[in-house]
Amino acid sequence: MLKKFFGFSNNLFVNSYKLMGFVVLSAILLGIVSYLTLSLFYLFDREWIAPIILSPSSERVIQMNSQLVQQKYNRDKLKVERITLEMQLNLIERTIAVNSEFQNRFKSAVTSDLQAKQKELRGLQSLYAEYRATKKQVVEANKAFERLNETDLQKDLAAGLIEEEVYVRNKYALSQNISQQISYEQKQLEFESRTIELGRRIEALKALDEKLGRQTPANGDSSSYEVLLMEQEYQRSLLEMEELTAQKIPIEKQIALLDSSLTEYDKILGTITLSPYYKAMNEKISIAFVPYSNLQNVKAGAPIYGCSLELIWCREVGSVRQVLDGEVSARHPMFSSDLRGVMVEIELKDMAWAEEKALHVDSRPLLI
């Protein structure tokens, strides 16, 4: 009986050992077959993508945030520089406009002053002519009166021909005539001096008016100090305009260059804000690495499939939104070799699928 029991136990142990060995061997064989199957699949498949989860703490997101801050700082710095240059340009243009208005009004003022002085000279000459005629008459009358000298008056007074009061009045009138004649002479000198002064000023204004009309520098001799000061002021205005006009050209070129640079910065910032790395600054999002060998099968809008057991039990879990610019490198999900490719933005129904090492685009793998 005991012998039978030991024989049964021995057979049971041997059979269990064989069964365990078969199970272990089957598991090893299944693992080898699975590994070979996965290796062959990923060796020839061109529809796999490697998902990546982006969050505000991701290295690429932090780098993008730093780049965005730097680009905004550079753009704002250029804007401040452009505003400064624009203010300088506006000030130059206003100064040029003021000088231009001054020059136009200066020309009008010279012409008006010339006409006024010519009119004044004609009036003075007419008045001087009348004055000389009146003076002639007065001088003749005074000469006739002067013939009654003081000696004759004294004789008439001594002879009783005139009264003493008449004698005093006549003597006073004689002295007044002499004073009046002296006054007429002084007045004539004033007329002549004023006429000469007006003539010199008119000639100077004529010369200046002609030069302004020809738009040539007024560098000839002028007989009027006042006109020379006017010319100097006008020349100062011309030189200032020339200097400011010369300053405008480089400032305008600098503003044009700044506008071009600002446009480029706006493009860069626009590209950054459309990047998924920018979106990941505030929330978690999912992207995926696509090697160049698979890129032709990855299009915007293509469905994405995820498998619960490697290559089987697969279902649609999302879609491709867009292919992103810029080359990146990543490891192969199966062979751990470095690959070159690009990133694509994907939209998943459940973010848990972004934790898988690989997803599949366009169709289920092995059609299962």
Side-chain angles (χ1 to χ4, degrees), residues 157-263:
L157 179 62
L161 297 176
I162 59 174
E163 297 180 354
E164 185 176 357
E165 182 180 355
V166 174
Y167 168 76
V168 174
R169 284 200 302 267
N170 288 334
K171 188 175 180 180
Y172 177 76
L174 183 60
S175 62
Q176 287 293 104
N177 287 340
I178 296 173
S179 299
Q180 188 178 31
Q181 187 172 353
I182 293 173
S183 176
Y184 277 131
E185 294 297 333
Q186 291 176 347
K187 199 68 175 177
Q188 183 173 350
L189 288 175
E190 292 177 4
F191 270 113
E192 291 175 352
S193 176
R194 181 58 179 165
T195 302
I196 294 172
E197 180 184 351
L198 281 175
R200 292 177 60 188
R201 183 174 178 83
I202 288 172
E203 291 301 320
L205 289 173
K206 277 184 180 180
L208 179 59
D209 190 54
E210 290 176 0
K211 291 169 185 175
L212 294 176
R214 292 194 301 267
Q215 295 294 325
T216 57
N219 53 8
D221 293 334
S222 177
S223 57
S224 172
Y225 176 75
E226 185 179 353
V227 173
L228 282 174
L229 293 178
M230 293 167 61
E231 289 184 19
Q232 184 182 28
E233 191 66 27
Y234 183 78
Q235 288 301 315
R236 186 180 293 114
S237 175
L238 287 176
L239 292 174
E240 185 177 7
M241 275 192 65
E242 291 178 1
E243 182 180 356
L244 292 174
T245 303
Q247 292 178 7
K248 275 185 61 178
I249 298 175
I251 292 178
E252 289 174 342
K253 288 184 178 180
Q254 289 180 28
I255 290 177
L257 290 175
L258 289 176
D259 287 339
S260 178
S261 298
L262 286 171
T263 301

Side-chain angles (χ1 to χ4, degrees), residues 11 29 67 89 96 107 116 147 152 170 186 210 220-221 277 295 307 315 326 336 353:
N11 290 333
L29 182 61
Q67 183 181 3
L89 184 61
I96 290 175
K107 294 175 184 178
R147 294 188 186 98
D152 294 334
N170 288 334
Q186 291 176 347
E210 290 176 0
D221 293 334
Y277 299 106
L295 187 58
C307 303
R315 60 185 178 276
S336 298
W353 287 103

Side-chain angles (χ1 to χ4, degrees), residues 18-19 52 65-66 68 78 80 86 98-99 109 118 122 136 151 189 196 216 244 246 260-261 283 301 303 336 360:
K18 289 181 179 179
L19 179 61
I52 301 172
N65 190 17
S66 299
L68 179 63
L78 289 181
V80 172
E86 194 170 19
V98 169
N99 277 278
Q118 289 174 334
R122 289 193 297 268
K136 183 179 180 181
T151 304
L189 288 175
I196 294 172
T216 57
L244 292 174
S260 178
S261 298
E283 59 181 348
S336 298
H360 308 276

Side-chain angles (χ1 to χ4, degrees), residues 194 199 250 255 308 320 323:
R194 181 58 179 165
I255 290 177
S308 300
V320 177
V323 178

Side-chain angles (χ1 to χ4, degrees), residues 11-232:
N11 290 333
L12 180 62
F13 177 76
V14 171
N15 291 334
S16 299
Y17 181 78
K18 289 181 179 179
L19 179 61
M20 185 179 297
F22 177 77
V23 171
V24 171
L25 183 62
S26 297
I28 293 173
L29 182 61
L30 181 62
I32 293 173
V33 171
S34 298
Y35 178 78
L36 291 175
T37 301
L38 286 173
S39 298
L40 289 173
F41 173 80
Y42 281 108
L43 183 62
F44 295 102
D45 183 66
R46 295 293 179 266
E47 294 181 346
W48 64 267
I49 59 175
I52 301 172
I53 297 176
L54 292 179
S55 66
S57 60
S58 299
E59 182 180 357
R60 292 292 299 273
V61 175
I62 294 174
Q63 291 177 354
M64 178 64 72
N65 190 17
S66 299
Q67 183 181 3
L68 179 63
V69 172
Q70 183 64 38
Q71 296 295 337
K72 284 185 176 180
Y73 171 78
N74 292 338
R75 185 190 61 176
D76 293 341
K77 187 177 179 181
L78 289 181
K79 280 187 174 181
V80 172
E81 185 177 351
R82 189 190 186 283
I83 291 172
T84 303
L85 289 175
E86 194 170 19
M87 291 175 62
Q88 293 179 6
L89 184 61
N90 291 337
L91 179 60
I92 288 174
E93 289 177 345
R94 288 199 301 269
T95 307
I96 290 175
V98 169
N99 277 278
S100 179
E101 182 181 1
F102 165 75
Q103 291 165 18
N104 292 331
R105 295 179 65 182
F106 181 86
K107 294 175 184 178
S108 300
V110 169
T111 303
S112 299
D113 194 18
L114 174 59
Q115 294 174 350
K117 296 304 178 185
Q118 289 174 334
K119 183 178 180 181
E120 183 181 356
L121 179 60
R122 289 193 297 268
L124 183 63
Q125 289 173 340
S126 176
L127 181 62
Y128 184 45
E130 295 179 359
Y131 169 79
R132 291 178 63 183
T134 304
K135 176 190 173 185
K136 183 179 180 181
Q137 296 175 1
V138 172
V139 168
E140 291 178 353
N142 287 340
K143 287 181 179 181
F145 185 76
E146 287 175 358
R147 294 188 186 98
L148 298 174
N149 54 41
E150 185 176 357
T151 304
D152 294 334
L153 289 175
Q154 289 179 349
K155 290 179 179 181
D156 292 341
L157 179 62
L161 297 176
I162 59 174
E163 297 180 354
E164 185 176 357
E165 182 180 355
V166 174
Y167 168 76
V168 174
R169 284 200 302 267
N170 288 334
K171 188 175 180 180
Y172 177 76
L174 183 60
S175 62
Q176 287 293 104
N177 287 340
I178 296 173
S179 299
Q180 188 178 31
Q181 187 172 353
I182 293 173
S183 176
Y184 277 131
E185 294 297 333
Q186 291 176 347
K187 199 68 175 177
Q188 183 173 350
L189 288 175
E190 292 177 4
F191 270 113
E192 291 175 352
S193 176
R194 181 58 179 165
T195 302
I196 294 172
E197 180 184 351
L198 281 175
R200 292 177 60 188
R201 183 174 178 83
I202 288 172
E203 291 301 320
L205 289 173
K206 277 184 180 180
L208 179 59
D209 190 54
E210 290 176 0
K211 291 169 185 175
L212 294 176
R214 292 194 301 267
Q215 295 294 325
T216 57
N219 53 8
D221 293 334
S222 177
S223 57
S224 172
Y225 176 75
E226 185 179 353
V227 173
L228 282 174
L229 293 178
M230 293 167 61
E231 289 184 19
Q232 184 182 28

Side-chain angles (χ1 to χ4, degrees), residues 291-340:
Y292 284 127
S293 57
N294 299 4
L295 187 58
Q296 60 182 357
N297 298 318
V298 179
K299 308 293 181 183
I304 297 175
Y305 296 90
C307 303
S308 300
L309 295 175
E310 293 293 346
L311 301 178
I312 59 176
W313 198 10
C314 304
R315 60 185 178 276
E316 185 176 342
V317 295
S319 61
V320 177
R321 296 189 64 180
Q322 62 174 331
V323 178
L324 305 177
D325 295 331
E327 181 180 290
V328 295
S329 60
R331 288 190 173 274
H332 194 287
M334 185 65 190
F335 305 118
S336 298
S337 58
D338 291 331
L339 298 175
R340 295 165 56 204

